[in-house]
Amino acid sequence: MTASPDGAMAAAPGWNRGVRNGVLLGALALAAVLALNWAELPGLGSILLQLPAAVAISAAVHLPQIALTAAAWRALLPPALRPGLGAMMALRWYRESANALLPAGALVGQAAAARLLARRGVPGQLAGATATVDLTLEAVSQFFFTLAGVLLLVGFRDTGGLAPFAWAGLGVAVAGAAAMVLVQRRLPLALAERLLARLARRWPAIRPSVLRDFQGAILALHADAPRLAQAILWHTASWVIGAVEIWGVLALLGHDVSLADALVIEALAQALRNVGFLLPGALAVQEGAIIGAAALCGVPPAAALAVALVRRAREVCFSLPGLLAWQRAELKGKA
């Protein structure tokens, strides 16, 4: 039996909501640009005309970022079980698409990608553990990246009283990474297993030991220092490339900044963006984070908001096809 096209679309995870969110994101970003810069509409008009080229720059930079983050996840798998880099890039794309357009999309996308990885022959516990540890290592590498940005800022720039904003970004990065590591190592297994044991009386397919097995797989990965280090390096390289996106888009819009300043903006904006992790694409939080981080480097709000608009447009352009590809992979049974 095959699913009809209409049925497939109806079954797509959050597809209708994703479309609405994508349209809403674009409308909100444009409205914000117009409202905050009404007096600068003549100059803003020229910026909007340049946005297609800026989105192209953003997309060209983001493709290698997907490859690097996919390589980081792949490094956590045993060599004999590693899918090709292309397959891992597809899984990473699905995760990003869910994160950009669905509420709590980081968790939804992670679960879906881990399930698809398991369908490629990776044991289910290992697939879930690598997806979870990969997310944690991404947060750990973000801490190092944010720390570099803060040190560059306070060491070589006059922050004009905005230094607390920079330290707040570092605090968010530290808290996020520490919380993820602590939760993985200190899961309340006894309580959770008792709950699953009760559920198993009604649904025998539930195994109470599944959480203990899952944490065991995670702790085994935590003990593999070479793989952890390799994954952190790949993730750190991906964060650094994001600074090139900021630098290129600002240069196109006529606001030249150094690569060091672009790194500061990207590091702090990405760290502060995590505050909105439950919102689709960190709606509004990402825009505010970019504007605030750019202000530390002397970038005017209009230009910073244009950068945020470019990034949001690129996310929508990548993520709407990503949701379709994810649904197609679900129907086929593998990435």
Side-chain angles (χ1 to χ4, degrees), residues 36-105:
L36 295 177
N37 300 276
W38 187 259
E40 303 177 21
L41 282 184
L44 187 60
S46 63
I47 289 177
L48 291 175
L49 290 175
Q50 293 173 323
L51 285 187
V55 173
I57 290 175
S58 179
V61 171
H62 191 60
L63 281 172
Q65 284 187 297
I66 293 177
L68 288 168
T69 52
W73 187 5
R74 186 171 181 267
L76 296 175
L77 291 164
L81 296 176
R82 291 174 184 170
L85 181 61
M88 296 301 294
M89 287 179 66
L91 294 176
R92 179 71 194 193
W93 181 30
Y94 306 155
R95 285 171 61 177
E96 286 195 3
S97 299
N99 189 25
L101 296 181
L102 302 178

Side-chain angles (χ1 to χ4, degrees), residues 132-133 135-140 174-187 215 218-219 222 228 232:
T132 302
V133 172
L135 200 64
T136 303
L137 296 180
E138 189 171 9
V140 171
V174 171
M180 294 177 75
V181 172
L182 182 62
V183 167
Q184 289 172 25
R185 300 188 69 87
R186 301 288 183 181
L187 284 174
Q215 189 186 38
I218 287 177
L219 294 179
H222 283 190
L228 297 180
I232 288 175

Side-chain angles (χ1 to χ4, degrees), residues 193-214:
E193 285 182 341
R194 284 198 297 269
L195 176 60
L196 289 179
R198 291 184 180 181
L199 294 175
R201 297 170 189 167
R202 183 176 181 88
W203 295 284
I206 295 178
R207 292 189 301 111
S209 63
V210 65
L211 283 179
R212 192 171 296 275
D213 295 342
F214 177 61

